[in-house]
Amino acid sequence: MSCVEMSHTFNRNENICLGEEQFQKFCKLFIKHSDEICNGWEWRQKELNEGYMVKVHLRSKISLNSLFVEDHCFQDLQGHEVDDKEKLSVKNVSSDIEEAQVTTSQLIRYEYHVVYSSSYQAPVLYFRACYSDGKPLTLEEIWENVHDCYKERLFQGPWDTITQQGGYTVCSIRTGIWCVRLGRVYGVLEQGGYTVSSITAGIPCARSRQVCRVLDHDGYTVCSIRAVIPCARLPRAYDVLD
Amino acid sequence: MTDDRDVLRDVWFGRIPTCFTLSQDEITEREAEPYYLLLPRVSYLMLVTDKAKKHFQKVMRQEDVGEMWFEYEGVPLKWHYPIGLLFDLHASNTALPWNIIVHFKNFPESELLHCLTKDAVEAHFMSCIKEADALKHKSQVINEMQKKDHKQLWMGLQNDKFDQFWAINRKLMEYPTEEGGFRYIPFRIYQPLNERPFIQKLFRPISSEGHPHNLGDLLKEMFPAAVTPEDMEKQYQVVIHGIEPMLETPVQWLSEHLSYPDNFLHISIIPLPRD
């Protein structure tokens, strides 16, 4: 069954809400998949009926002058094809960030938690990032480390997308989408009951009201909103459904 | 709801007389006078202390001025908590003015969020409003609003404009008549010294039999020690906006009238001192 067909089976007006139980079920599937691709997610039991997913990830900081470019380019978030050589324009949040020549790479530790929010009845991604000495990254540094492809979108509304909350950075939920790609993991989160997906190198897709699909540019994981379901490999296009 | 509009004004215009004193640790070129302000209960420290900041910076050298933060009796004050909540939680039963110490260095990284611009306050404020509406209306009302309406809520708060704020906020306080109230009540319960930042759980304003839940019902479920049986000594004060509402008050009414502008009921539970 192709992905397009699958998504059309979802009732567009359905209000999808997870409960804690469903969340745990989906997390089990998610972690199973994570184990299969050695992605590092773990379950942590908190109380009898509560738990969450955790992952710790180390990466070196992308310097501001980084020439790091993906081999394949991605569609930008509006679904337009972007040329391999073309880089999306980046609007700097703070105009006085100096262009530093980083000669030594710094190790950054990211810790992700996927927690069930009873307010939104949906999963929420929390993460914190700190240097090897324990010093936390500033919000600006986190925004800066978002992959170039998503920077334009991020900087249209940085505070709506990644915000602070009590010592963690939250991938916020708003009526747009957000996929933050950090290192090689990212979560897709949306309001109203969605799946968190882990993909090793991927592209976000536009969100429509009820359906969100995330496609990996190698095409190997597509997540429906109901569960992490691997689908047939697709070319680089993606669909937006209302 | 509109019968009690006076209550809305009383809540909005609540003020706390505060005395800001520069920390002894700060390096100054000359002695700094304390700075007095009437702080709005419903606002946030970083929104209303620009003048205090300028006042203290005048006696310091530029290089000694780092990010400003506040402390009360050794406790760093979380700027993302509304001012009224901070006061109720930490200084409820102390004499006025509220004495706050101002710091410009040694920012307590592990205890406070950074707040370098007002955007941080706005983002936090709006995220609370959105969460509150997720609880009240499954986010339907907030999502139907335009971005300019969201902006108006924020501008109303920032500029202390009651009418501007409530022109939009009243929509967040509506509910279908047949429901009798919101889906769930947005509330958070705080205690002065606690590992856990706050208690927040799903709670319906109307019982399954159709009876309105009151403050006592909420507490019985979330913090039973605060509801003392008649013959026993009261152990805790339950404070919202500096007052102890009667336990018989319906939570739906509390949510509509005593919520902060972020649409949450921030409830402080303070242990009574044992003599």
Side-chain angles (χ1 to χ4, degrees), chain B residues 196-225:
Chain B
R196 206 170 168 181
F198 51 75
I199 297 169
Q200 180 184 335
K201 294 197 183 138
L202 296 178
F203 187 80
R204 291 199 188 270
I206 314 283
S207 73
S208 39
E209 290 93 39
H211 306 306
H213 282 138
N214 60 32
L215 181 58
D217 297 325
L218 175 69
L219 292 170
K220 274 184 212 138
E221 198 166 312
M222 307 297 167
F223 201 105

Side-chain angles (χ1 to χ4, degrees), chain A residues 18 22-23 26-31 33-34 39 41 53-55 112-117 122-126 171 178-180 185-190 193-199 212 214 221-229:
Chain A
L18 290 183
Q22 286 266 64
F23 169 71
F26 290 146
C27 286
K28 280 201 172 71
L29 286 173
F30 183 93
I31 287 174
H33 182 67
S34 163
N39 209 245
W41 285 91
M53 298 198 290
V54 188
K55 174 173 167 144
Y112 309 104
H113 288 201
V114 174
V115 176
Y116 178 72
S117 158
V124 180
L125 175 71
Y126 287 87
C171 279
W178 197 242
C179 261
V180 176
V185 175
Y186 56 85
V188 178
L189 282 168
E190 294 189 20
Y194 294 84
T195 323
V196 174
S197 66
S198 166
I199 312 169
C212 167
V214 180
T221 314
V222 176
C223 309
S224 84
I225 48 166
R226 290 190 187 273
V228 178
I229 307 171

Side-chain angles (χ1 to χ4, degrees), chain A residues 59-183:
Chain A
R59 71 186 273 237
S60 35
K61 179 178 182 172
I62 294 175
S63 84
L64 293 172
N65 289 339
S66 174
L67 295 171
F68 172 71
V69 173
E70 285 287 279
D71 285 336
H72 309 270
C73 205
F74 312 82
Q75 293 196 346
D76 73 14
L77 296 163
Q78 276 69 48
H80 307 145
E81 278 285 334
V82 178
D83 191 84
D84 270 344
K85 303 289 182 296
E86 198 183 308
K87 236 181 151 180
L88 294 174
S89 68
V90 173
K91 233 183 343 167
N92 261 335
V93 169
S94 166
S95 54
D96 51 17
I97 291 178
E98 278 170 21
E99 294 218 326
Q101 298 289 336
V102 178
T103 48
T104 52
S105 71
Q106 261 188 305
L107 211 59
I108 302 178
R109 180 181 185 273
Y110 288 91
E111 185 178 331
Y112 309 104
H113 288 201
V114 174
V115 176
Y116 178 72
S117 158
S118 57
S119 301
Y120 289 106
Q121 304 197 296
V124 180
L125 175 71
Y126 287 87
F127 62 89
R128 55 182 164 200
C130 55
Y131 295 105
S132 42
D133 61 1
K135 181 166 171 270
L137 267 70
T138 65
L139 210 51
E140 282 75 20
E141 286 169 325
I142 288 175
W143 291 337
E144 265 309 306
N145 277 289
V146 167
H147 197 281
D148 286 343
C149 285
Y150 318 133
K151 266 187 173 143
E152 182 172 337
R153 176 67 167 77
L154 170 66
F155 291 142
Q156 277 166 21
W159 283 105
D160 291 328
T161 313
I162 308 180
T163 59
Q164 301 181 106
Q165 214 174 86
Y168 280 86
T169 315
V170 182
C171 279
S172 138
I173 335 181
R174 70 184 281 239
T175 51
I177 358 141
W178 197 242
C179 261
V180 176
R181 179 170 182 241
L182 295 163

Side-chain angles (χ1 to χ4, degrees), chain B residues 4 19 98 107 113 166 196 223 236 242 255:
Chain B
D4 294 321
C19 172
W98 189 18
F107 190 89
L113 294 176
W166 274 98
R196 206 170 168 181
F223 201 105
Y236 294 97
S255 185

